[in-house]
Amino acid sequence: MKPETISVFDLFQLPRRYVIPLYQRRYVWTRDKQWAPLWQDISRRAEAELADPQTVKPHFLGAVVFSQVKTFGLDLPTFDVIDGQQRLTTFQLLLAAFRDVVSEMDPSLYAGLCKRLTTVTVNDAYLKEPHHTYKVWPTLFDQPGFTQVLAPGGADDAEVLVHVAEKAFEHVPNTVAAYAYFVGEVRAWLGLDQQPVERAAALLIALTRHLQVVTIDLEDGDDPQVIFETLNARGEPLQPADLVRNHIFSSASALGEDTPRLFNTYWKDFDEDGSFWREQESRGRFVRDRLTWFLVAFLTVKLEDDVSDSMIFDAFKRWWGSRGNETAESGLKELQRYAQVYVSIVQAPYDTRAGVLRRRLAVLEVSSMTPLLLHLVAEVGLKGAALDAILHDLESFLVRRFMLGLGGKNYNLLFLRLLKAVRHLTEPAEIHAQLLDTLSRGTGESVRWPQDAEVIDALKTLPAYRKWKPRGVSMLLEAVDLQLTTDKQEKLLIAGPLSVEHVLPQKWQLWPAPVAPEGVTDPVGWRNALLHTLGNLTLTTQKLNSSVSNSGYDIKREALKEHSVLRLNYRLLKEETWDETVIQRRSRELAGIIVSIWRGPDVAAAVTPEPFKHALEPMVNADDTFEALRAALVARPPTGFRPKSYASGGMQLQSDDWGSVSLRYVLHVAENDSGEDQIILSLEDAFGADTPQKRFMVPLMARLAQPVQLAFGDHRVGFRPNVIDVVLPGDEPVQRVQQALRKLIQITVPAIEAAFTAYRASLTSPGGQSMAHLDVLADTLRPSLPPHFYFMAADTYGGRNYRRIANAAWPLRAWLHYELLQQGDRLLVCLHDEQPKTATHKAAMATLWPQITQAAQTAFPTLAVKDGQKNSGILWLDVPVDDAADSAGVLDILGRLIEATAPVIEQTWDRPVTS
């Protein structure tokens, strides 16, 4: 094997093909697990290039293994990809996204860059086959999506495709989703400031110089399959901390130091199972042990570089090597010194200023401040009032941005800049002044510090409960309560979590109707918009919250007077009544208190933002949505289903065709762990373990897991024993929930019908039934039916002379269906509309029937296609099957009939619906 380190860009510079063999798996990388971390690594190198090109160090992105394929004549050099196909495919999708984003910009500025990016995404040499234009050629499954987005100029189309698919709960190829993700990230990153040309150049330099892979070319005699199996063996990969430990003690051994003593003295605690350092901790979407997060913070301080968890080992080797001839023990002592400070920061008692900050940072989900805190405590030695003053300003900056939803996407770079700004300062006052000045001068949405007027204006109208979530509301109101405590009162630490209480409840229908002020035309909408604003929220214990729930204000007021000791509620109790006017007044009062708790920027240095105005946002209530959904389903249930009430105010849909109510769709509203309402759509298998149906239901639920996840996304789907849940936000409009229900039915009904068919077959031997051959024919044809079509289980093994073929995506489902019909010795392939004469779509279908018949006659010019209408109103169309036709011939006729008539049928409704 011949290894070589090259840049991502150089990997694709030459005209050559990287072919992914058939035995490799399809493209399975996803946003949270791979795309986002990869983009983080790449954008960090580009940011470092912009900040100080002299300090940027190369970053290793993994390895790829190739085996060269023999080619002849003018054929392009071709390599089989033995390992690294996921990485290789992703690199091409990223480069194509970069190419297409810059191609949309000013051609005079980006022409050269576009040309360079085209050379690494397209082969322009002699091409023996059209697909040889692609640098990477994926497996058969991934080729359609890959070729779609690698063609230049598809950025907008891909983003629209992904957006539309997500709205419709449709799956899109993973390659297309990855490309669209990188398009969005590159666009956003280039547009962060007013220097897109410089940023594009920095990203290009990162890809050409600072992001490297190791390529391993196999030589004659190397067995590709053996190497593939070895590289993918089921071993537990070494973690960054393991590599760091090995490096330290191999260095110590080489220097002749006492490694057992060093291990027991300085490292043993890091390695102990169940210790503080091995506990898992989440940072956004990433979960790592605490030792990993400590090493990230430690190395960020030491190198003054943006270190991610994927860069730990390379960064550690740089720091370790920069120490010159120092002993391994001195390096371990430094690690231990910082480790002790780290523990003091992340375990600071909640009754200290550092502990309050720790608690609030956890709510804000901000961890990138840790390196700065490490420096201030471990290097400068700040403590007491000097440290507390700095912590207060840092917290104020973050909390104000949190309240306005300004986000923390680039906090890692911001706090690194602050670290560098105070690196060489030692006086607390100088450090504080420098931090305050730097934060106050921040411009742009990613770094600015909102001023008082902007915060107060926003807090009067923001739907705080929805925007900040219950944890955020609790944090802010706890701070208000502490601020309201006077020096004549005891300072009470709120030790446990409290519940956020809506004084005017979310289910306010039992309260007096809203009376809107002049100019407001929708009193209900106005009330719902004010419902989640700050003025309507307070804190109680969960038990007290549950006991008063939707009660009137007089009952809540008495309960709070008797049980609550919070100053926050003492002031609330002064209100004799509770309505929208009180809510608005209280929002203004709380906003004033909040800006006094968390100070604004240094006004002399601050940049004045554009005038900020925030209007009341219309809010959607989950219970209102659910009631609207219930009414719609009761009025017009999905064809073949009966709506019924369900426990805890929910409802269920049952199908008579399945012969049991133990398999049903269930709909209800529930709160998640954060107290937010969610609308849950479930498919529930309630068959008992001893019932004969159970052995068919278990594999059914397992089979449905993947298609449901593909349609709705992993984050929306949950699996419990015998239940598949689709979870939607509580503020989804009712039309969106109906669409999700239709999609769930569409995906699952064909598989359910097949399972019930198998169950019926297990109960009755087909041999003695006159129409058993139709069941055999149906079993043969079932795997080849078009998507969403299925044979109805109710017809199976019942002696009937027909087998209906319905489409789960059609609103008419069983009423409008294709059919295999046995008439004596003749077999017909039919299309029947069996809707009642008064049905919604009946008149439209009757009007279209001649056009449907004409389409069928055109498809079968040599067959005697007949149609008609019975006295009952049933519309029918028959296509005869040749007596000599086998199952393949029947399938051909059925497929051609569907292909000819389904597009005409679908003109009767705007979109596939089930009601």
Side-chain angles (χ1 to χ4, degrees):
M1 294 187 290
K2 295 186 297 185
E4 180 185 5
T5 301
I6 63 173
S7 74
V8 169
F9 213 80
D10 288 340
L11 189 63
F12 303 111
Q13 281 279 32
L14 297 175
R16 55 172 54 186
R17 301 177 59 234
Y18 299 112
V19 178
I20 298 173
L22 291 174
Y23 60 80
Q24 300 277 25
R25 62 179 173 170
R26 53 186 278 199
Y27 183 64
V28 295
W29 275 18
T30 60
R31 180 185 62 188
D32 289 349
K33 291 181 180 179
Q34 288 93 13
W35 306 338
L38 175 63
W39 173 249
Q40 184 182 63
D41 290 339
I42 293 170
S43 59
R44 279 177 164 174
R45 295 300 92 195
E47 291 282 2
E49 174 66 28
L50 284 169
D52 187 356
Q54 302 301 318
T55 64
V56 186
K57 300 295 188 293
H59 177 50
F60 175 59
L61 292 174
V64 288
V65 181
F66 302 128
S67 177
Q68 186 159 11
V69 177
K70 289 183 179 180
T71 54
F72 304 93
L74 294 176
D75 287 353
L76 291 178
T78 302
F79 299 80
D80 279 344
V81 182
I82 306 305
D83 195 55
Q85 82 277 14
Q86 304 286 325
R87 185 173 289 105
L88 209 61
T89 304
T90 307
F91 290 158
Q92 275 292 287
L93 295 169
L94 167 64
L95 290 168
F98 187 14
R99 174 199 67 194
D100 292 340
V101 169
V102 297
S103 70
E104 300 169 346
M105 302 166 123
D106 188 340
S108 63
L109 293 176
Y110 295 97
L113 177 55
C114 288
K115 185 175 181 180
R116 292 198 66 184
L117 289 168
T118 300
T119 64
V120 292
T121 53
V122 175
N123 286 320
D124 59 359
Y126 168 78
L127 303 177
K128 186 176 181 180
E129 299 287 346
H131 67 269
H132 288 188
T133 187
Y134 301 103
K135 301 278 185 178
V136 173
W137 190 234
T139 58
L140 185 66
F141 182 89
D142 293 315
Q143 287 168 13
F146 185 80
T147 56
Q148 176 185 351
V149 297
L150 260 290
D156 288 338
D157 290 343
E159 284 196 303
V160 169
L161 172 63
V162 171
H163 177 72
V164 169
E166 288 177 348
K167 295 291 285 183
F169 305 110
E170 295 281 1
H171 173 62
V172 293
N174 224 27
T175 49
V176 177
Y179 169 84
Y181 168 80
F182 288 122
V183 164
E185 291 295 332
V186 171
R187 271 193 184 136
W189 190 83
L190 292 180
L192 278 177
D193 58 26
Q194 302 303 312
Q195 298 177 313
V197 175
E198 289 80 357
R199 295 184 74 82
L203 185 55
L204 179 66
I205 292 171
L207 292 167
T208 53
R209 297 181 190 172
H210 307 316
L211 297 152
Q212 299 179 339
V213 294
V214 169
T215 63
I216 302 174
D217 291 331
L218 302 186
E219 299 177 298
D220 291 342
D222 293 330
D223 188 326
Q225 187 59 29
V226 170
I227 291 171
F228 174 77
E229 291 172 358
T230 302
L231 289 168
N232 292 279
R234 294 182 181 178
E236 200 54 40
L238 287 174
Q239 298 301 310
D242 300 322
L243 298 171
V244 165
R245 178 194 58 225
N246 295 351
H247 188 73
I248 291 172
F249 289 100
S250 63
S251 299
S253 179
L255 292 171
E257 298 182 62
D258 185 352
T259 54
R261 181 183 66 82
L262 295 180
F263 182 88
N264 287 320
T265 305
Y266 301 107
W267 190 270
K268 182 180 177 182
D269 289 346
F270 289 143
D271 264 0
E272 281 193 0
D273 292 337
S275 70
F276 166 87
W277 297 106
R278 290 299 178 177
E279 288 182 10
Q280 298 292 301
E281 188 176 293
S282 62
R283 302 274 178 93
R285 66 177 70 89
F286 306 116
V287 179
R288 306 284 187 268
D289 59 35
R290 281 205 179 104
L291 179 55
T292 296
W293 297 129
F294 162 63
L295 289 171
V296 166
F298 172 79
L299 292 167
T300 299
V301 175
K302 289 297 183 182
L303 298 174
E304 295 184 41
D305 195 5
D306 185 27
V307 177
S308 68
D309 60 300
S310 64
M311 301 159 58
I312 286 175
F313 185 49
D314 287 341
F316 184 83
K317 286 191 295 183
R318 275 198 284 141
W319 171 69
W320 193 261
S322 70
R323 296 165 50 256
N325 295 323
E326 291 187 32
T327 63
E329 183 166 16
S330 69
L332 282 166
K333 283 182 177 179
E334 186 71 346
L335 266 176
Q336 269 290 346
R337 184 171 75 87
Y338 267 79
Q340 291 167 6
V341 173
Y342 184 84
V343 172
S344 73
I345 291 172
V346 302
Q347 289 192 329
Y350 284 148
D351 59 352
T352 65
R353 188 66 193 76
V356 171
L357 175 64
R358 171 168 77 92
R359 187 171 177 174
R360 290 171 179 169
L361 289 181
V363 175
L364 301 178
E365 297 183 346
V366 173
S367 58
S368 47
M369 190 194 292
T370 306
L372 176 61
L373 300 181
L374 265 182
H375 169 75
L376 295 176
V377 178
E379 290 299 326
V380 182
L382 284 182
K383 57 185 177 181
L387 178 62
D388 290 351
I390 289 174
L391 298 184
H392 180 79
D393 278 343
L394 292 172
E395 183 184 294
S396 294
F397 171 83
L398 294 173
V399 170
R400 286 190 171 218
R401 289 180 54 79
F402 165 76
M403 289 188 293
L404 269 62
L406 293 176
K409 191 171 184 179
N410 294 300
Y411 280 171
N412 58 316
L413 300 175
L414 170 66
F415 288 117
L416 180 60
R417 191 164 80 243
L418 293 176
L419 174 62
K420 291 179 178 180
V422 301
R423 182 72 170 181
H424 303 295
L425 300 178
T426 57
E427 291 299 320
E430 290 181 341
I431 293 172
H432 192 178
Q434 181 63 59
L435 290 173
L436 182 59
D437 184 71
T438 302
L439 288 174
S440 297
R441 293 181 186 278
T443 59
E445 294 300 284
S446 63
V447 293
R448 69 183 182 85
W449 190 348
Q451 297 185 37
D452 288 1
E454 182 181 9
V455 175
I456 291 172
D457 186 41
L459 295 189
K460 290 188 294 186
T461 53
L462 271 173
Y465 188 78
R466 294 293 194 203
K467 296 291 186 182
W468 305 338
K469 310 303 182 189
R471 287 183 69 201
V473 175
S474 292
M475 178 198 74
L476 293 163
L477 291 182
E478 284 178 20
V480 169
D481 187 76
L482 188 63
Q483 183 78 358
L484 292 173
T485 305
T486 70
D487 57 5
K488 295 181 180 181
Q489 295 168 315
E490 302 87 349
K491 298 282 185 181
L492 297 177
L493 174 67
I494 300 176
L498 292 177
S499 176
V500 177
E501 164 73 2
H502 289 73
V503 184
L504 172 65
Q506 298 187 67
K507 298 180 175 65
W508 51 261
Q509 285 73 15
L510 297 178
W511 280 48
V515 179
E518 185 177 351
V520 175
T521 59
D522 180 9
V524 170
W526 180 63
R527 169 169 283 187
N528 282 335
L530 288 170
L531 191 64
H532 298 300
T533 55
L534 194 60
N536 191 46
L537 306 175
T538 192
L539 296 175
T540 67
T541 63
Q542 180 60 58
K543 191 171 184 178
L544 181 57
N545 190 329
S546 300
S547 68
V548 295
S549 190
N550 300 319
S551 303
Y553 179 62
D554 54 341
I555 296 175
K556 288 193 176 188
R557 190 165 179 252
E558 288 303 314
L560 288 170
K561 185 184 298 184
E562 181 177 355
H563 298 289
S564 179
V565 297
L566 297 180
R567 294 291 298 172
L568 180 72
N569 289 330
Y570 176 77
R571 290 177 64 134
L572 183 151
L573 294 173
K574 294 180 180 179
E575 300 293 345
E576 297 292 337
T577 59
W578 198 266
D579 57 19
E580 288 76 14
T581 301
V582 175
I583 292 171
Q584 290 178 302
R585 182 175 68 246
R586 185 165 177 266
S587 288
R588 291 192 294 271
E589 292 172 356
L590 291 177
I593 296 170
I594 283 173
V595 295
S596 70
I597 297 172
W598 290 289
R599 62 169 284 183
D602 181 344
V603 178
V607 177
T608 304
E610 292 293 321
F612 181 88
K613 293 295 179 184
H614 195 281
L616 279 171
E617 296 183 19
M619 299 303 296
V620 179
N621 183 285
D623 293 303
D624 292 342
T625 298
F626 190 79
E627 289 309 312
L629 177 65
R630 184 200 302 275
L633 292 175
V634 168
R636 292 176 60 189
T639 306
F641 289 97
R642 289 183 294 110
K644 292 189 65 176
S645 296
Y646 192 69
S648 304
M651 67 181 304
Q652 60 183 329
L653 296 174
Q654 302 172 352
S655 172
D656 292 330
D657 288 346
W658 298 341
S660 173
V661 298
S662 294
L663 188 70
R664 64 258 181 139
Y665 298 96
V666 177
L667 301 81
H668 70 285
V669 175
E671 283 191 355
N672 63 12
D673 293 340
S674 299
E676 302 166 286
D677 280 341
Q678 297 177 316
I679 298 174
I680 302 178
L681 315 176
S682 305
L683 175 63
E684 181 177 297
D685 160 26
F687 284 104
D690 298 329
T691 59
Q693 293 97 329
K694 194 65 176 180
R695 71 184 181 96
F696 298 95
M697 295 301 107
V698 171
L700 166 70
M701 299 298 275
R703 281 200 309 275
L704 288 173
Q706 184 180 32
V708 174
Q709 276 185 320
L710 287 174
F712 292 96
D714 290 349
H715 61 291
R716 281 201 183 102
V717 180
F719 298 98
R720 294 175 286 141
N722 312 322
V723 179
I724 297 175
D725 291 323
V726 174
V727 182
L728 301 175
D731 56 0
E732 288 278 25
V734 66
Q735 296 84 357
R736 178 86 169 143
V737 180
Q738 286 179 296
Q739 186 180 21
L741 176 61
R742 291 193 292 267
K743 175 58 68 171
L744 182 62
I745 290 174
Q746 174 184 323
I747 293 169
T748 55
V749 161
I752 292 171
E753 294 280 346
F756 274 105
T757 297
Y759 163 65
R760 288 170 178 265
S762 72
L763 299 178
T764 309
S765 171
Q769 296 186 14
S770 59
M771 293 299 165
H773 68 282
L774 284 180
D775 292 314
V776 174
L777 181 59
D779 288 342
T780 304
L781 300 184
R782 185 175 289 107
S784 302
L785 291 177
H788 312 310
F789 282 88
Y790 61 93
F791 280 97
M792 296 182 64
D795 302 341
T796 306
Y797 299 105
R800 296 175 177 174
N801 68 334
Y802 57 83
R803 297 294 180 268
R804 291 171 293 175
I805 304 149
N807 186 342
W810 286 359
L812 312 179
R813 217 158 61 88
W815 282 339
L816 182 65
H817 57 263
Y818 298 89
E819 194 171 293
L820 302 182
L821 177 62
Q822 189 72 49
Q823 287 187 341
D825 294 334
R826 299 176 63 231
L827 178 65
L828 303 173
V829 177
C830 311
L831 173 61
H832 287 180
D833 171 16
E834 298 178 1
Q835 297 178 85
K837 292 180 179 180
T838 56
T840 303
H841 298 290
K842 189 66 177 183
M845 287 301 303
T847 301
L848 279 176
W849 207 255
Q851 186 178 342
I852 292 170
T853 301
Q854 180 61 51
Q857 290 171 339
T858 301
F860 302 103
T862 62
L863 299 179
V865 177
K866 296 181 179 179
D867 75 316
Q869 182 172 356
K870 297 181 180 180
N871 291 334
S872 61
I874 293 177
L875 298 164
W876 58 272
L877 184 153
D878 296 341
V879 180
V881 176
D882 190 297
D883 292 341
D886 56 9
S887 59
V890 177
L891 179 63
D892 176 64
I893 290 177
L894 175 62
R896 288 161 60 193
L897 182 61
I898 291 174
E899 185 178 358
T901 58
V904 183
I905 290 170
E906 287 165 1
Q907 295 178 32
T908 57
W909 52 85
D910 294 330
R911 62 177 184 270
V913 294
T914 56
S915 58

